[in-house]
Amino acid sequence: MKLVRDLLLASLAFGFAAQTVAADDVLKFLDGDRDGTISAYEAMDQLLRLQKETGKKQLSIADFKKHLANLKADEEVELKEMMASLDANGNGKLTVKELKKAVGDLARGVDRNGDKTVSLQELQAFDLANAIVVSDSEIRDEVAYIMEALDENGNGALTKQEMPEAEIWDDLKDKDLNRDGSITRKELITAAKQDNKLAEFDVQGSTAVMTGTISASTPARVLELVIEHPEVTTILLGRVPGSVDDEANLRAASYVRQFGLNTKLASNSVVASGGTDFFLAGVERSVSPGAMAGVHSWGGPGYEGKDVPRDDEQHQPYLEYYREMGIPAKFYWFTLEAAPVEGVHWMTSAEFKKYKFATSQK
């Protein structure tokens, strides 16, 4: 298989380059999800990423050094631009309050030394993927807050009729796990726990059931799945609420297509945002009645994707991905307009058909 051959070529290239490139730089590069450990598949993913970005099957030592330097420089520029856009007083540091504008409550985890400010170094060291995982007690507290605020009749269940605004029900209705029109406290907790983990695959014969949030570790998980379980032909997405790393998500999804896997949504499946994009990687894509697929705009500090001019380069990775998957560009522009960053639009059957979402529907 071509991709496996490329993996071997990448490993050879790395073997020569690593002899002369600073060890710390190499290790940081291979640790794609920044969790302090490096798996063989994580290294493969990073090397395949390097191959794609350079367009070379084998790399010279000079190529490898240059690429690492460029990655480091690009990351620093991006973080500095983010800091500049949020740093109201221009002192070169962000207060936790300022950072909240960009990452919400996750800002608490960025301030590693507890001085109520965030430096460039702290931003560089921040592990977003692990920061999204919260404790069971935090989940229970959040659910208690939601129920207290919205359960007007105190019966322990939420319905659309109780919502002060229709948008609130749209944001919550994917938690109606049994699709009976009401959301119980137990369903809220169950859904939150299912979402409160990084994406993983449970192999069941020729099907791998995918659940959890897509992160920087997902491309390596996909490579591990396809190489160690060649019997798998289909990925069934259960609850995949989104992604905390768009670049990694598109890379992981591209592996799905390269290995010729199919994707499927069952009647109780819920995908949104990056999870929806991941589903589109399937060579054959099936959607059962009742399945939910949500879309919304991406955004940055103080702006949304729909506000960015259509010829801006920020749109290109997404447009290129949809072209690769055979999805019309109009679907991408639709997602930007369908709902804001903090909201979600659940696609209708008519929209599934219009945008060639599935290759077959039951």
Side-chain angles (χ1 to χ4, degrees), residues 6-50:
D6 288 348
L7 289 173
L8 295 174
L9 291 174
S11 299
L12 289 172
F14 168 68
F16 288 108
Q19 296 176 26
T20 58
V21 179
D24 282 351
D25 288 339
V26 173
L27 294 176
K28 288 178 181 177
F29 169 70
L30 296 180
D31 184 15
D33 60 6
R34 297 186 177 183
D35 68 349
T37 63
I38 302 170
S39 73
Y41 296 107
E42 188 175 17
M44 288 179 182
D45 169 51
Q46 291 299 91
L47 290 166
L48 284 172
R49 172 189 171 194
L50 189 154

Side-chain angles (χ1 to χ4, degrees), residues 157-159 169 175-184 187:
L158 305 177
T159 63
W169 179 255
K175 279 76 174 175
D176 180 12
L177 302 183
N178 63 4
R179 305 291 202 270
D180 68 350
S182 70
I183 305 170
T184 65
E187 284 178 313

Side-chain angles (χ1 to χ4, degrees), residues 151-190:
D151 185 16
E152 292 184 352
N153 59 17
N155 69 344
L158 305 177
T159 63
K160 186 175 183 179
Q161 289 69 34
E162 289 179 279
M163 299 300 106
E165 299 176 14
E167 291 80 4
I168 297 177
W169 179 255
D170 284 341
D171 289 341
L172 290 175
K173 70 179 182 180
D174 66 293
K175 279 76 174 175
D176 180 12
L177 302 183
N178 63 4
R179 305 291 202 270
D180 68 350
S182 70
I183 305 170
T184 65
R185 181 186 300 269
K186 182 177 180 180
E187 284 178 313
L188 282 174
I189 291 175
T190 299

Side-chain angles (χ1 to χ4, degrees), residues 78-104 107 110 118 123 300-303:
E78 185 177 339
L79 290 177
K80 283 182 177 178
E81 288 177 350
M82 176 181 172
M83 289 193 72
S85 68
L86 299 173
D87 184 11
N89 59 14
N91 68 347
K93 283 193 172 186
L94 299 179
T95 64
V96 172
K97 183 177 181 181
E98 287 173 327
L99 188 60
K100 267 193 169 185
K101 295 179 182 178
V103 297
V110 186
V118 176
L123 278 178
Y303 71 92

